[in-house]
């Protein structure tokens, strides 16, 4: 039996989300069908607003409502340190920790030649341009996930930055190899930042 077209479209839409297979998408679609109209409208409005009202900060690449973002425009942040992360959710994880007071640079991905993702597909070029304009930067902390792609991206960025005489460090052990920063607790992140090592 085929589902009515609106349900089939909704199932297909849910399947576009990461980690959602056909069974889960079907369950979510029927759950949505049973939701009160007001909740469905709020859900749709939230989806629309997140696409319309958020943009990337022109300095660091983090998601923001205003440009530049609150972190980049805050004069009380440590202007000498930039932490390079893969995704905006990693910025949120470090901000929740409350120990890091420097700036950020969001790559929006990592190098993955097998998937066709090279330096031009992620936010590396703007980091180099930023470092050329901001001579106050003394240290770059590479806070990338401990995956093969994260490691190769860290090495690539390190090779680009080192000739400029800027100190390049990595997060310390404490983050398990293969783990994602967004799932680490604040104590683990704090130890990783405090015990970072030079590359």
């Amino acid at each position: 039996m085929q589902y009515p077209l609106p349900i089939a479209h909704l199932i297909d839409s849910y399947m576009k989300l990461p980690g959602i297979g056909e069974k889960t998408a079907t369950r979510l679609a029927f759950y949505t069908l049973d939701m009160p109209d007001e909740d469905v409208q709020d859900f749709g409005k939230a989806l629309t607003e997140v696409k319309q009202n958020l943009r990337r900060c022109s300095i660091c690449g983090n998601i923001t409502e205003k440009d530049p973002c609150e972190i980049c425009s805050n004069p009380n942040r440590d202007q000498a340190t930039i932490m390079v992360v893969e995704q905006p959710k990693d910025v949120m994880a470090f901000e929740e920790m409350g120990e890091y007071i420097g700036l950020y640079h969001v790559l929006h991905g990592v190098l993955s030649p097998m998937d066709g993702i090279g330096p031009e597909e992620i936010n590396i070029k703007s980091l180099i341009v930023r470092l050329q304009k901001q001579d106050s930067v003394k240290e770059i902390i590479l806070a990338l996930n401990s995956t093969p792609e994260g490691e190769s991206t860290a090495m690539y960025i390190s090779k680009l930055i080192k000739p400029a005489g800027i100190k390049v460090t990595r997060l310390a052990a404490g983050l398990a190899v293969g783990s994602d920063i967004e799932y680490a607790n604040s104590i683990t992140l704090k130890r990783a930042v405090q015990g970072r090592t030079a590359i």
Side-chain angles (χ1 to χ4, degrees):
M1 175 185 165
Q2 286 190 320
Y3 293 117
L5 204 54
I7 284 284
H9 283 163
L10 187 55
I11 291 169
D12 288 342
S13 296
Y14 277 125
M15 285 177 61
K16 292 176 183 174
L17 297 172
I20 304 290
E22 187 175 353
K23 286 185 179 181
T24 302
T26 302
R27 191 169 67 249
L28 289 171
F30 279 97
Y31 179 83
T32 304
L33 187 63
D34 291 335
M35 288 170 63
D37 289 351
E38 186 178 314
D39 290 349
V40 173
Q41 289 168 2
D42 287 345
F43 184 60
K45 185 179 176 187
L47 289 172
T48 303
E49 285 178 351
V50 79
K51 292 299 287 181
Q52 290 178 346
N53 298 338
L54 292 180
R55 61 189 58 82
R56 289 185 183 183
C57 173
S58 59
I59 298 172
C60 71
N62 194 18
I63 54 171
T64 181
E65 289 183 82
K66 61 178 185 173
D67 189 20
C69 70
E70 289 182 16
I71 294 172
C72 288
S73 58
N74 183 348
N76 296 320
R77 303 290 296 213
D78 175 11
Q79 306 293 310
T81 309
I82 296 177
M83 182 180 290
V84 178
V85 298
E86 290 181 28
Q87 299 293 345
K89 57 191 174 186
D90 299 328
V91 172
M92 306 303 175
F94 282 106
E95 285 300 290
E96 284 178 18
M97 175 186 71
E99 295 288 326
Y100 177 72
I101 58 166
L103 303 173
Y104 294 94
H105 194 86
V106 183
L107 296 177
H108 293 280
V110 286
L111 298 175
S112 181
M114 298 276 289
D115 298 319
I117 302 173
E120 297 300 318
E121 281 70 46
I122 59 176
N123 199 20
I124 292 178
K125 186 177 180 182
S126 66
L127 173 63
I128 304 306
V129 171
R130 182 179 179 186
L131 293 176
Q132 291 168 345
K133 291 180 179 178
Q134 270 182 273
D135 57 0
S136 60
V137 178
K138 305 296 181 214
E139 181 183 5
I140 296 293
I141 304 170
L142 297 173
L144 306 178
N145 290 320
S146 298
T147 61
E149 295 81 8
E151 295 295 326
S152 63
T153 304
M155 294 309 296
Y156 180 83
I157 293 172
S158 176
K159 286 178 183 175
L160 290 177
I161 295 172
K162 273 190 173 179
I166 298 171
K167 182 180 178 183
V168 181
T169 59
R170 283 289 317 248
L171 293 183
L175 289 175
V177 173
S179 66
D180 287 346
I181 287 172
E182 67 174 304
Y183 299 118
N185 62 44
S186 59
I187 294 171
T188 302
L189 289 176
K190 180 178 178 180
R191 287 178 182 161
V193 171
Q194 290 176 341
R196 61 189 182 270
T197 55
I199 296 182

